[in-house]
Amino acid sequence: MAYRRTGRLVPRDADQQEAAAMLIDEADARPGDLVCFGEPGRAHHIAFWLGDDRILHATRREGVNAVVEEPLENVGARPVRFARLTIR
């Protein structure tokens, strides 16, 4: 919603979101940046970086769909890349 209000269209699929963003180093990640899971250029899952090694993402565990905040280390999918969407 926040991007829509600025006139920026964010792609729906994870790999397209990664392609629309600029890769950054983990050390440069700020809250709101993307955490991309999967092979480079073929992300299969996206989370929002919250800082302090925490992410916010949609997940399905034990048959329950939910949006959760949790430590990045709790998500077993690798490799992980950090990316930033910019508003033009």
Side-chain angles (χ1 to χ4, degrees):
M1 287 296 272
Y3 282 101
R4 183 184 302 163
R5 289 182 181 168
T6 64
R8 177 81 194 263
L9 182 62
V10 177
R12 177 189 174 278
D13 295 327
D15 60 335
Q16 294 170 344
Q17 289 174 12
E18 179 183 20
M22 174 183 66
L23 292 178
I24 58 172
D25 290 328
E26 181 177 356
D28 296 327
R30 300 186 305 229
D33 285 337
L34 305 180
V35 181
C36 308
F37 297 88
E39 294 301 320
R42 295 176 41 183
H44 58 78
H45 186 66
I46 297 286
F48 289 103
W49 182 248
L50 298 177
D52 296 325
D53 292 322
R54 299 190 68 77
I55 60 171
L56 180 72
H57 69 125
T59 186
R60 180 180 174 156
R61 291 198 184 126
E62 300 172 13
V64 176
N65 291 323
V67 175
V68 297
E69 176 184 334
E70 65 182 338
L72 176 59
E73 67 186 31
N74 283 10
V75 181
R78 296 291 184 264
V80 173
R81 289 162 314 290
F82 291 80
R84 179 168 298 144
L85 285 170
T86 57
I87 298 173
R88 298 177 195 166

